[in-house]
Amino acid sequence: MSNLNISTISKTFGSQQVLNNISLDIADRSFVALLGPSGCGKSTLLRLIAGLEHPNGGQIHLDGQDITRLPPERRDIALMFQSYALMPHMTVFENVRFPLRMKDSAPKSEQAEHVRNALAQVQLDSFADRYPRQLSGGQQQRVALARAIVAEPKVLLLDEPLSNLDARLREDMQVELKRLHRKLDLTTVFVTHDQTEALALADQVVLMNKGIIEQIDTPERMYARPRTVFAAKFIGAANVIEIELRDIAGERCGVLNDGTVLDPSPDVELPAGRYKFMLRQEAIIFNPKGKNTVRLEGTIETQNFLGSVTRSIIRIGNQKISAVTPAKNTPVDGSQVTFGWNLPDFLPLQD
Amino acid sequence: MVGGVPYGVKLLSVVLVAAIAIFMLVPLMVVIGSSVSASEFLVFPPRGLSLRWYGEVLQSDAYLSAAKTSVQLALVTVVVSVAIGTSAAIALTMFRFPGGSFLSALFLSPLILPSLIFAIGLLMVFSAYADGPSFTGLVVGHVVITLPYVIRTVSAALADMDPHLDEASRMMGASWWQRYLLVILPQCRTGMAAGAFFVFNISFDDAVVALFMRAPDVETLPMRIYSSLEFSPDPSVAAVSTIMIGITIVLVLVLNRVFGLARIM
């Protein structure tokens, strides 16, 4: 069991409030992403969990034990640094054995067994005698991973685990991390600024912005139902469309900036006023049919062919809407088009 | 070559580089040349060819004991200077503390301050508070003038270190002394070696501090060479100097082989 409970944590550096009253429960064996732009406080939160920083207020509990003031080496939490922090003067084997050597009083042969197991987990068994500088970046990272799991910590923390790898290696490592998490059943928290990484790896995404948590959700829900304008823009690409809700002839209608009335009107119960709505690029349909479908006239202003899909920028009045549609069903650049979306795809956002 | 540089500028730079090389190498050539002279006097070009002055030097008690003193002095200075300099470099690069930048400037000041002034002060301090100049006094003087080199080379090595190494070892349960001994100190190795090389050379070569801190019973090799030149200028001086050049070259080659000079300088 390793439940991590973070309650009302605040952290300031000088006059700067980096974390503002954060509460977060991380369930046993979950894979959690702390996601946000740089400066949102996600790395500080990770360092607080690790014990490398101390909060100005609030508590952190691990399995019911208050660890807020516990030094890092007594928390049973391992951290893999973004730079890997491998000891350059030690072999792979010595690097991975280091935590055991520091903490464990087990005999050397038993430690060696643990080291070999950890190296096998990351498929580096045959590299034990090499030095870190003799390994590729991806291999160095797997050494760091083996070193983090060798002492069987209760919680594994990863700081930007994929940011130092090239694109192809990054995909391999995503698969690898997911496999390892499933196999070890280890509560894992990682920090990333890359939303695709968070969506691909985590089963729980914690979206942070300016020292607060914007939204906590599964990747699927986070993508489908972002609550705020920030979440909609940060997770995947989205159109944010401003409309006015007002009553026309006794009926609540959505009106675009240029006066176009949406038909049917958005399926929401909100008082009259101006609102921002999200519309995913891929939710747009050309030549829509059906009852619950909004239909509008516009012009394709520019188009980018992206292989399997095409991105079109559609102009309607002074509004630009970006659409991503299957390449073969997309009308040509410059043409007048009828387009629309299914009613449930048009979601109101909070500011 | 860089394109678009006028011909005159190119010519000037070639001439300058050649002139610098000549001024660096010619004095060495003259010294080495006169050391193999068969003549009784220090002259260039050499008259006749002979290794007799090398024989004289290697049999001279004055030179040998001066060399022994110089090597002892240089070795003690290396140990003390590298120990203090490495500790200072670790403290100055790894921690932020009040007065840190002042201390850093103070430690590096012997590079800028004329060593003559420092030597006079040192002499006065040792005359007032100790029994005048001594071997210990020379060690103190040499440690002060060599410290900046160790601090610079070790700081450079630490600057290359992964900044998270210390935190990572802490998270893995290393106590403070384990962090220093097993993690940080090994990262200083190349810097310490380069620093030790500088310290040895500067201490072995120093004439200014040694001149002021000259004690009756302590004579270093540079002092010996200086008095020989003053009182009996025969080619043995050149022979000693050539041996010193040779030792330096060997040291450089060894250091380059073990650590790679490009990495540490």
Side-chain angles (χ1 to χ4, degrees):
Chain A
M1 279 289 286
S2 37
N3 288 302
L4 196 59
N5 310 101
I6 294 158
S7 46
T8 62
I9 284 282
S10 291
K11 178 70 182 170
T12 52
F13 289 121
S15 61
Q16 205 194 350
Q17 179 102 20
V18 183
L19 291 175
N20 194 353
N21 212 20
I22 292 244
S23 292
L24 173 65
D25 287 334
I26 293 171
D28 187 32
R29 297 171 184 187
S30 54
F31 201 170
V32 175
L34 304 179
L35 172 68
S38 64
C40 72
K42 58 189 191 297
S43 297
T44 304
L45 183 56
L46 195 79
R47 289 174 63 82
L48 284 167
I49 298 172
L52 293 169
E53 306 280 356
H54 293 293
N56 299 91
Q59 289 96 40
I60 302 173
H61 288 84
L62 180 57
D63 289 342
Q65 189 203 355
D66 186 351
I67 59 166
T68 318
R69 295 280 140 195
L70 223 53
E73 67 273 16
R74 288 177 44 208
R75 292 188 174 201
D76 231 349
I77 292 176
L79 167 58
M80 189 182 87
F81 287 87
Q82 187 178 6
S83 60
Y84 313 147
L86 297 177
M87 317 287 179
H89 60 293
M90 294 182 188
T91 61
V92 167
F93 181 88
E94 288 166 334
N95 262 290
V96 177
R97 191 168 79 93
F98 194 84
L100 301 178
R101 201 172 136 203
M102 295 298 112
K103 280 182 178 166
D104 221 16
S105 49
K108 221 173 166 177
S109 59
E110 200 177 304
Q111 291 186 356
E113 186 61 33
H114 283 299
V115 173
R116 271 193 296 275
N117 284 340
L119 284 175
Q121 296 281 11
V122 297
Q123 285 135 34
L124 275 181
D125 350 28
S126 53
F127 292 84
D129 295 327
R130 304 248 191 122
Y131 283 91
R133 63 174 177 276
Q134 296 169 309
L135 303 180
S136 70
Q139 289 167 335
Q140 288 182 17
Q141 167 152 59
R142 283 189 280 150
V143 176
L145 202 54
R147 188 176 67 175
I149 61 175
V150 73
E152 292 170 1
K154 284 183 176 169
V155 179
L156 175 62
L157 307 176
L158 310 168
D159 188 8
E160 297 273 2
L162 303 172
S163 64
N164 283 347
L165 304 175
D166 61 48
R168 209 184 59 80
L169 218 55
R170 203 171 295 184
E171 284 179 16
D172 292 349
M173 204 63 201
Q174 285 183 4
V175 176
E176 178 84 11
L177 280 174
K178 198 120 189 180
R179 183 190 65 82
L180 209 61
H181 174 256
R182 190 161 302 159
K183 193 164 171 196
L184 299 175
D185 255 348
L186 192 59
T187 308
T188 307
V189 182
F190 74 104
V191 154
T192 180
H193 64 275
D194 183 342
Q195 46 99 12
T196 57
E197 229 173 89
L199 297 182
L201 286 173
D203 46 44
Q204 199 75 219
V205 177
V206 178
L207 180 65
M208 297 179 65
N209 185 30
K210 294 177 184 158
I212 57 158
I213 293 177
E214 287 265 338
Q215 191 170 347
I216 305 175
D217 247 321
T218 63
E220 293 79 11
R221 278 192 61 84
M222 187 74 90
Y223 187 82
R225 308 228 145 230
R227 271 209 299 270
T228 59
V229 173
F230 173 81
K233 285 185 167 168
F234 199 81
I235 310 270
N239 294 295
V240 175
I241 297 168
E242 212 181 302
I243 64 166
E244 192 184 350
L245 290 180
R246 67 167 178 253
D247 292 330
I248 300 173
E251 221 173 310
R252 178 58 54 83
C253 290
V255 184
L256 290 180
N257 276 342
D258 69 336
T260 311
V261 178
L262 298 175
D263 178 38
S265 59
D267 184 18
V268 289
E269 305 217 346
L270 289 167
R274 298 197 75 83
Y275 293 95
K276 285 177 176 143
F277 277 70
M278 179 191 81
L279 183 61
R280 289 280 178 211
Q281 297 184 98
E282 67 276 13
I284 291 183
I285 316 160
F286 286 109
N287 303 315
K289 297 173 184 71
K291 193 157 61 88
N292 260 338
T293 310
V294 176
R295 214 162 319 197
L296 294 167
E297 304 287 327
T299 314
I300 296 183
E301 202 174 66
T302 43
Q303 221 168 41
N304 303 101
F305 176 63
L306 304 175
S308 59
V309 292
T310 298
R311 187 195 304 118
S312 313
I313 307 293
I314 309 165
R315 175 179 281 279
I316 168 166
N318 55 3
Q319 183 98 44
K320 285 180 187 175
I321 295 173
S322 174
V324 170
T325 48
K328 55 180 177 177
N329 299 338
T330 304
V332 295
D333 200 356
S335 52
Q336 291 275 341
V337 289
T338 308
F339 72 101
W341 55 82
N342 291 321
L343 214 48
D345 289 334
F346 201 56
L347 285 173
L349 300 169
Q350 298 162 22
D351 262 318
Chain B
M1 281 301 276
V2 184
V5 179
Y7 180 73
V9 175
K10 277 186 192 171
L11 186 71
L12 186 68
S13 68
V14 169
V15 169
L16 272 176
V17 170
I20 292 167
I22 287 167
F23 278 109
M24 285 175 80
L25 290 176
V26 164
L28 295 184
M29 292 305 162
V30 171
V31 168
I32 294 167
S34 23
S35 76
V36 292
S37 168
S39 119
E40 292 286 328
F41 301 101
L42 190 56
V43 287
F44 190 84
R47 297 196 191 128
L49 241 145
S50 153
L51 290 176
R52 67 176 271 219
W53 294 108
Y54 285 88
E56 295 272 335
V57 166
L58 293 175
Q59 276 161 17
S60 151
D61 283 341
Y63 274 125
L64 288 182
S65 87
K68 197 177 149 204
T69 305
S70 271
V71 169
Q72 281 173 343
L73 176 64
L75 288 179
V76 174
T77 307
V78 164
V79 171
V80 178
S81 193
V82 169
I84 297 176
T86 303
S87 319
I90 291 174
L92 291 171
T93 41
M94 310 238 343
F95 306 108
R96 296 259 156 270
F97 52 91
S101 53
F102 169 75
L103 270 183
S104 169
L106 182 72
F107 279 132
L108 296 179
S109 66
L111 283 178
I112 307 156
L113 204 71
S115 49
L116 186 78
I117 294 169
F118 166 71
I120 295 171
L122 192 68
L123 174 65
M124 291 169 73
V125 169
F126 266 81
S127 304
Y129 301 106
D131 299 332
S134 60
F135 187 80
T136 318
L138 270 178
V139 171
V140 172
H142 281 187
V143 166
V144 172
I145 60 170
T146 56
L147 217 45
Y149 295 89
V150 181
I151 293 177
R152 287 304 281 267
T153 52
V154 175
S155 299
L158 282 173
D160 281 346
M161 184 177 89
D162 185 325
H164 296 301
L165 224 46
D166 188 40
E167 282 184 342
S169 56
R170 197 175 157 211
M171 287 219 61
M172 290 185 282
S175 62
W176 69 266
W177 63 267
Q178 284 171 320
R179 277 150 60 199
Y180 284 96
L181 226 54
L182 303 177
V183 181
I184 295 168
L185 210 51
Q187 314 314 316
C188 301
R189 278 184 309 190
T190 50
M192 289 163 78
F197 168 75
F198 282 123
V199 173
F200 189 93
N201 264 339
I202 290 164
S203 167
F204 199 72
D205 183 56
D206 164 73
V208 177
V209 174
L211 182 71
F212 282 84
M213 295 297 286
R214 174 146 55 170
D217 53 335
V218 188
E219 190 182 44
T220 65
L221 199 52
M223 296 316 301
R224 179 71 245 158
I225 293 172
Y226 185 71
S227 13
S228 301
L229 209 56
E230 218 172 6
F231 301 111
S232 56
D234 61 39
S236 63
V237 175
V240 174
S241 310
T242 306
I243 293 171
M244 285 174 74
I245 294 168
I247 291 173
T248 310
I249 290 173
V250 170
L251 273 178
V252 170
L253 290 178
V254 169
L255 203 66
N256 187 37
R257 179 110 195 112
V258 180
F259 295 108
L261 282 183
R263 266 180 60 208
I264 50 185
M265 297 236 169

